[in-house]
Amino acid sequence: MFIDLRVHSINSKGVDSPSRLKKEARDLGIEVALCDGIKYDDFISGIELTARNKRELIREIISSKKFDIIVVHGGRAEINRSAVSDSRVDVLAHPWLGRRDSGVDAVVAREAADNGVAIELCISYLLIQHQRLKIFSSLRRIKKLKDKYNFEILVTSGAKCKYDLRNKYEIASILYLLGLEEEDIKESINLPEKLIREKGIK
Amino acid sequence: MRIKSLPSTLRERKRYIAFIVESDHKISGEEAREALLDSTLNLLGEVRSSRLSLRIIKATSDYIIVGCNHISVEKIIGCAALTGEIRGKKIHLRSLGTSGTIKAVHKKFLSRNKEVIEVEESKVIFKGKAFTVARKFNICLDLVPDEEFLRRVKKLKVEYIGITQTDVRGE
């Protein structure tokens, strides 16, 4: 089963309640993890950390121990590099945000592979037409680095409402359109489940 | 005089895909068709789109049936999955499945009616505040946003806040 590891409910940036998202996800045949910064009993709970510098990020990571998934809001070069250097971080989200380049260089790629931090590909940014071109070119660069350094690419919907959720087949089709090979697609779809199993959450 | 059809060995193998139109807003068939075509053209360009043999068989406010050749099914589902909005309204074209004939598409995927029950006026308490219920189906409730959520709802280009009956009972 595909697990969407970054979904926002009404308790953070979204407009749907956790139970509504759970119902919609069940209809689509997927499972959702809520990235609200709130510890839920019946959901996989995550937190998205936003920091201005390395020191602040480390402080936030230490205070987020209780969450199942720790996602770092990427974009700034310093934050991207600090996030992948810490093995307590699970996902580096949108490293290209607000940048002209992809935000992932050889150092980031090597550190991500060594510390087991996955780099996120967020579908919700692809829904905005003027951003697609930039994300596609960033992804091509990230894919080249992935082939060399072998870090993980995690696909999430980044959904803030129920209409942003995508099922397994839709995500596979999107990745196919982006030019990923069949094996990479399978690996990306199974990665969230593997991550959850390794962490012993379920 | 009509031209003769291609010999059967040269004909393309056809597939039909059913998509359901999901949105908070009222979406016309024309808008749904435009959303799919826009997304395909923007993503693949005119040259690659022409290789799909894409034709829209039927587009209504609830569903779309699309015809294509058998090697393009994945591409069209991918393009539809990346349809985010049309004319400032949030929309999602969810693929239901693929079939070899239009009749089978209707029988397999579109035989169930969309269960939307419009509610005239009723109030529920959610997060300690009273909200007006706009739509109700099964256990799902769509609420009209108050001032606190109005900006967020507008930014995401939806119209309602989605909750279930368990949220109301929990209060």
Side-chain angles (χ1 to χ4, degrees):
Chain A
M1 185 187 264
F2 175 69
I3 306 172
D4 197 335
L5 285 186
R6 196 161 73 86
V7 175
H8 297 282
S9 81
I10 199 162
N11 297 326
S12 58
K13 303 175 193 168
V15 290
D16 294 305
S17 71
S19 65
R20 180 66 180 270
L21 287 168
K22 193 176 189 178
K23 194 207 171 280
E24 298 285 343
R26 205 169 47 225
D27 290 351
L28 290 173
I30 61 168
E31 208 174 304
V32 289
L34 295 179
C35 209
D36 286 340
I38 297 172
K39 183 80 182 152
Y40 295 101
D41 294 332
D42 48 351
F43 284 95
I44 302 163
S45 316
I47 185 167
E48 188 175 341
L49 303 178
T50 313
R52 278 171 296 179
N53 51 45
K54 189 177 177 180
R55 231 172 130 179
E56 206 179 303
L57 182 68
I58 291 170
R59 213 168 36 231
E60 295 234 15
I61 292 170
I62 292 168
S63 62
S64 311
K65 268 182 190 169
K66 61 177 177 179
F67 294 101
D68 304 324
I69 305 287
I70 297 178
V71 181
V72 174
H73 185 94
R76 299 176 69 169
E78 189 191 348
I79 298 297
N80 288 350
R81 201 169 279 194
S82 314
V84 293
S85 314
D86 199 318
S87 56
R88 289 169 290 186
V89 174
D90 299 303
V91 184
L92 171 63
H94 41 67
W96 55 74
L97 197 70
R99 303 182 63 81
R100 287 190 175 180
D101 53 31
S102 68
V104 180
D105 55 9
V107 181
V108 171
R110 200 169 38 234
E111 290 280 327
D114 290 348
N115 294 312
V117 180
I119 308 269
E120 186 209 36
L121 168 66
C122 180
I123 303 288
S124 70
Y125 285 97
L126 289 173
L127 301 180
I128 307 162
Q129 275 181 11
H130 63 269
Q131 286 190 355
R132 275 183 201 164
L133 189 66
K134 189 179 149 192
I135 297 173
F136 284 175
S137 34
S138 297
L139 189 75
R140 192 156 298 122
R141 197 182 145 129
I142 291 172
K143 178 76 177 45
K144 268 185 195 170
L145 288 165
K146 180 195 178 321
D147 291 341
K148 185 166 168 59
Y149 294 104
N150 206 21
F151 58 87
E152 316 266 25
I153 295 181
L154 177 82
V155 188
T156 67
S157 72
K160 290 176 186 150
C161 71
K162 52 193 175 293
Y163 302 117
D164 283 347
L165 294 172
R166 297 288 180 269
N167 66 27
K168 192 169 130 181
Y169 303 105
E170 285 173 324
I171 285 174
S173 303
I174 292 169
L175 296 180
Y176 172 72
L177 269 182
L178 293 176
L180 262 70
E181 304 286 323
E182 204 175 320
E183 271 183 27
D184 291 333
I185 294 173
K186 267 188 193 167
E187 195 186 308
S188 293
I189 286 175
N190 293 330
L191 181 65
E193 207 174 347
K194 192 179 130 197
L195 202 94
I196 295 292
R197 215 180 314 126
E198 275 173 11
K199 294 198 90 181
I201 297 164
K202 278 169 102 183
Chain B
M1 198 175 85
R2 285 179 65 184
I3 59 163
K4 285 186 83 173
S5 59
L6 278 171
S8 56
T9 49
L10 297 179
R11 271 180 229 157
E12 280 185 330
R13 282 193 259 165
K14 291 173 193 161
R15 292 292 181 273
Y16 297 94
I17 315 166
F19 293 101
I20 206 159
V21 180
E22 291 182 336
S23 180
D24 275 356
H25 303 267
K26 280 193 173 146
I27 302 281
S28 65
E30 196 51 47
E31 281 174 328
R33 171 200 292 263
E34 202 184 310
L36 181 64
L37 289 178
D38 265 12
S39 176
T40 313
L41 277 173
N42 276 319
L43 214 72
L44 302 178
E46 288 174 354
V47 175
R48 281 171 70 195
S49 299
S50 69
R51 294 179 198 146
L52 307 175
S53 306
L54 175 73
R55 55 208 181 279
I56 294 179
I57 310 291
K58 197 173 182 185
T60 70
S61 55
D62 294 334
Y63 66 89
I64 310 181
I65 301 174
V66 175
C68 64
N69 55 37
H70 74 288
I71 47 172
S72 311
V73 174
E74 287 288 303
K75 285 179 193 164
I76 291 173
I77 292 175
C79 290
L82 289 178
T83 309
E85 61 173 86
I86 180 76
R87 296 179 194 163
K89 301 171 190 171
K90 191 91 183 172
I91 185 175
H92 176 209
L93 301 175
R94 182 153 63 90
S95 66
L96 294 176
T98 311
S99 195
T101 61
I102 299 174
K103 191 179 172 184
V105 167
H106 276 284
K107 202 173 162 186
K108 274 160 81 175
F109 309 117
L110 302 169
S111 51
R112 276 189 301 158
N113 289 326
K114 204 179 172 186
E115 301 158 5
V116 178
I117 305 155
E118 297 287 339
V119 178
E120 281 179 8
E121 182 85 16
S122 79
K123 297 261 182 190
V124 290
I125 306 289
F126 174 61
K127 282 182 170 279
K129 284 188 214 163
F131 285 90
T132 310
V133 180
R135 296 191 304 184
K136 190 179 176 185
F137 45 99
N138 298 334
I139 59 160
C140 301
L141 301 167
D142 282 344
L143 311 179
V144 179
D146 65 351
E147 278 175 21
E148 189 193 338
F149 292 109
L150 198 60
R151 228 174 111 199
R152 205 186 285 182
V153 163
K154 272 189 182 163
K155 196 180 164 196
L156 293 174
K157 289 165 183 166
V158 292
E159 217 170 343
Y160 306 120
I161 294 169
I163 63 163
T164 59
Q165 276 172 353
T166 48
D167 293 316
V168 182
R169 266 187 235 127
E171 290 288 331

